[in-house]
């Protein structure tokens, strides 16, 4: 069997798995878990706004809180399987997806986006797996520690700055998708119709814009760290939300962001129910 035949067989196997009903169900579990994570982050952010700084408003912090309930260990395994399904889905799209698109940059960008999403879901799945196995949070030492390691590399300062620009661009894309309602292509026809469809539009629009704004703050922290050559100035979502809180009118701004992130979580539930792949 030559390499071409092996590639064709792998593609056929990937398509069979992609069309599996069980695969659809596993993907929906992953999307629901993604929604729950956003709702927990929103709740932690609300607590942060009112002075409770015990929780960590990040995906790791949300997963850790989820694991603390009586059936948390079981839920972590379910979440791990769900995120693994999301990774396989996006890897399939990255390799074979968007065949109906015209050849060229549009298809390439969409496949690249799917590959980046696979990395994101993979990181979440690894965090859930580590917690499920009793290893605690999968935070890996924090964003500033990672930034410090990158800054020690040749051209590290530039790389951190470029990371900030990339995060800013992704935040801008989320805001664009929210305001243009392009996120509705995630839902089937039933999810886009009637009063429920209008509610899903509202949840999605507010959620996407709120996530984009939060990522703008994250991007600013990376760029600030690069300019100041100080990795401790960088940070993830938790540090970004705390930075918002420290600004004038920080409490109401943080509450608005928390509500927006919560709306994204609610939209994820609609996405899982009316999944259109």
């Amino acid at each position: 069997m030559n390499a071409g035949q092996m590639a064709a067989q792998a593609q056929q196997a990937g398509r069979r798995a992609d069309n599996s009903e069980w695969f659809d169900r596993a993907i929906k579990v992953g999307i629901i878990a993604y929604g729950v994570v956003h709702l927990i982050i929103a709740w932690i952010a609300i607590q942060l706004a009112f002075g409770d700084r015990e929780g960590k408003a990040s995906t790791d912090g949300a997963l850790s809180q989820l694991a603390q309930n009586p059936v948390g260990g079981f839920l972590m395994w379910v979440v791990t399987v769900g995120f693994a399904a999301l990774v396989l889905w996006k890897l399939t799209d990255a390799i074979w997806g968007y065949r109906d698109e015209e050849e060229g940059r549009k298809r390439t960008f969409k496949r690249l986006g799917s590959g980046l999403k696979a990395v994101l879901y993979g990181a979440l799945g690894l965090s859930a797996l580590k917690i499920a196995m009793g290893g605690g949070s999968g935070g890996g030492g924090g964003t500033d520690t990672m930034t410090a390691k990158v800054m020690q590399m040749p051209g590290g300062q530039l790389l951190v700055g470029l990371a900030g620009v990339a995060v800013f661009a992704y935040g801008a894309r989320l805001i664009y998708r929210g305001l243009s309602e392009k996120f509705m292509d995630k839902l089937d026809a039933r999810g886009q119709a009637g009063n429920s469809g209008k509610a899903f539009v509202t949840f999605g629009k507010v959620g996407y814009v709120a996530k984009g704004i939060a990522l703008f703050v994250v991007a600013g922290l990376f760029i600030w760290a690069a300019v100041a050559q100080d990795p401790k100035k960088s940070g993830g979502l938790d540090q970004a939300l705390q930075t918002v809180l420290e600004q004038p009118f920080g409490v109401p701004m943080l509450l608005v962001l928390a509500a927006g992130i919560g709306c994204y979580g609610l939209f994820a539930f609609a996405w899982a129910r009316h999944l259109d792949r």
Side-chain angles (χ1 to χ4, degrees):
M1 183 182 298
N2 58 39
Q5 291 174 324
M6 292 177 65
Q9 287 190 358
Q11 184 173 357
Q12 290 176 359
R15 287 178 178 175
R16 284 197 298 270
D18 193 39
N19 294 325
S20 165
E21 181 180 350
W22 283 102
F23 190 42
D24 263 358
R25 292 176 180 175
I27 287 173
K28 289 182 178 182
V29 169
I31 295 172
I32 290 170
Y34 198 45
V36 170
V37 165
H38 280 79
L39 288 178
I40 296 175
I41 290 174
W43 174 241
I44 296 173
I46 291 172
Q47 292 177 308
L48 179 64
F50 288 108
D52 183 358
R53 303 204 173 194
E54 291 296 321
K56 185 178 180 183
S58 65
T59 52
D60 280 338
L63 289 171
S64 295
Q65 282 214 2
L66 185 61
Q68 290 173 10
N69 72 73
V71 291
F74 170 75
L75 285 177
M76 283 300 100
W77 286 110
V78 173
V79 169
T80 299
V81 171
F83 280 128
L86 291 179
V87 171
L88 290 176
W89 172 29
K90 287 304 170 184
L91 282 178
T92 302
D93 281 350
I95 298 171
W96 298 299
Y98 311 108
R99 293 184 296 274
D100 57 338
E101 301 287 346
E102 295 181 2
E103 291 283 356
R105 288 185 297 177
K106 188 174 182 180
R107 178 189 289 184
T108 300
F109 281 133
K110 286 195 172 184
R111 287 183 170 179
L112 179 60
S114 291
L116 293 174
K117 288 178 181 177
V119 173
L120 168 64
Y121 295 141
L124 293 173
L126 286 175
S127 292
L129 178 61
K130 186 172 182 180
I131 295 171
M133 296 178 67
S137 173
T143 307
D144 57 342
T145 303
M146 179 183 66
T147 305
K149 292 179 180 179
V150 174
M151 279 192 173
Q152 292 173 0
M153 300 166 55
Q157 184 180 356
L158 177 62
L159 291 175
V160 172
L162 289 176
V165 172
V167 173
F168 184 90
Y170 184 60
R173 182 175 182 273
L174 289 181
I175 292 175
Y176 168 73
R177 283 185 64 81
L179 295 177
S180 64
E181 299 179 7
K182 287 185 175 294
F183 58 86
M184 291 299 285
D185 61 7
K186 295 175 179 284
L187 308 180
D188 61 23
R190 292 175 301 166
Q192 300 184 34
N195 291 331
S196 60
K198 292 179 181 178
F200 300 156
V201 168
T202 300
F203 291 148
K205 181 175 289 189
V206 174
Y208 270 82
V209 171
K211 284 191 65 175
I213 292 172
L215 287 177
F216 279 175
V217 182
V218 175
L221 293 174
F222 273 103
I223 294 172
W224 185 20
V227 172
Q229 301 185 42
D230 183 358
K232 292 184 178 181
K233 296 186 183 299
S234 68
L237 180 59
D238 181 58
Q239 182 62 38
L241 294 179
Q242 293 196 37
T243 300
V244 169
L245 183 61
E246 293 167 0
Q247 307 310 308
F249 305 104
V251 170
M253 288 194 298
L254 182 55
L255 289 174
V256 169
L257 276 180
I261 293 170
C263 282
Y264 186 91
L266 294 176
F267 173 75
F269 295 155
W271 178 18
R273 181 180 179 184
H274 299 286
L275 177 64
D276 182 9
R277 296 203 291 125

